[in-house]
Amino acid sequence: MKPRVFIAHGWADDPTQGWIAWLVKQLQANDIEVVAPAFPNPEKPSVEIWTNQLAGLICEADEQTVLVGHSLGVFLILRYLSEPGAQVAGAVLVAGGLPTHRPELLKELNFESVIKRAAKRICIYSDDDRVVPPERSLELAKAINAETVLDSGKRHFSGLRGCNELPSALNAVLSCLISTP
């Protein structure tokens, strides 16, 4: 079975640019199938529409599936993993935090399910992220019992603002696939 990686971009982002586009190429060079959809209306996202689109693309997750999310895409991944379903190899969460500005969204998340469904969980954060401050990323990591990776000086990892490569994300995805049986 060929490994598959699904990448969920963030608010006002474009998966054909920056580190996401770079990651797609790196993974494909490792013979990994990659799906990185451009969600509709990135400037005015609908969490419901985006989550449904992502779930429809994933279709049948398995132990060779890795989910990668950036910013709002992290919430989509958490929401997907909060629902009953198959276990995946891992979740790589870049610049994600608990939605403290909208506490009602926390009710949609089931951290026990996330832990159960994602065999490996890795949160990548930056020490100078003003959108999702480091402490929020660390709170998320604690809530889902995830490994943390500090990628210093990367701000919010925005591809549209010059974050064009993200080796820490590539290493995290590959480590999820290596640790699967």
Side-chain angles (χ1 to χ4, degrees):
M1 192 177 309
K2 189 173 183 177
R4 298 183 311 151
V5 175
F6 294 87
I7 304 173
H9 68 79
W11 193 309
D13 208 353
D14 177 353
T16 65
Q17 303 292 316
W19 71 267
I20 293 177
W22 174 85
L23 181 60
V24 168
K25 289 178 186 167
Q26 298 301 310
L27 293 170
Q28 289 172 337
N30 280 283
D31 198 31
I32 297 170
E33 181 183 332
V34 185
V35 178
F39 295 115
N41 301 314
E43 298 288 336
K44 294 183 180 178
S46 163
V47 171
E48 197 67 36
I49 291 171
W50 285 22
T51 303
N52 289 338
Q53 182 177 343
L54 179 65
L57 290 169
I58 295 171
C59 201
E60 293 185 33
D62 60 31
E63 66 280 348
Q64 288 292 304
T65 302
V66 177
L67 308 175
V68 178
H70 172 240
S71 194
L72 178 59
V74 167
F75 182 71
L76 302 179
I77 300 297
L78 293 173
R79 200 166 179 221
Y80 173 81
L81 292 171
S82 290
E83 297 295 322
Q87 187 178 50
V88 299
V92 176
L93 310 172
V94 180
L98 297 179
T100 55
H101 64 293
R102 294 195 45 204
E104 72 277 8
L105 294 177
L106 283 173
K107 294 176 186 170
E108 299 179 19
L109 303 179
N110 179 335
F111 298 127
E112 288 179 22
S113 178
V114 171
I115 293 167
K116 181 180 175 187
R117 290 197 58 206
K120 191 165 190 176
R121 297 156 311 283
I122 302 170
C123 291
I124 300 172
Y125 69 102
S126 180
D127 52 3
D128 60 352
D129 189 337
R130 291 185 183 170
V131 178
V132 178
E135 58 272 11
R136 292 217 359 249
S137 291
L138 293 172
E139 288 170 2
L140 171 61
K142 184 176 180 181
I144 61 169
N145 194 25
E147 295 177 33
T148 58
V149 176
L150 170 61
D151 204 337
S152 189
K154 292 284 197 297
R155 297 171 53 176
H156 193 57
F157 302 91
S158 174
L160 299 175
R161 292 205 168 85
C163 185
N164 294 316
E165 295 181 2
L166 195 54
S168 59
L170 175 61
N171 292 337
V173 169
L174 295 175
S175 78
C176 289
L177 292 170
I178 289 169
S179 63
T180 59

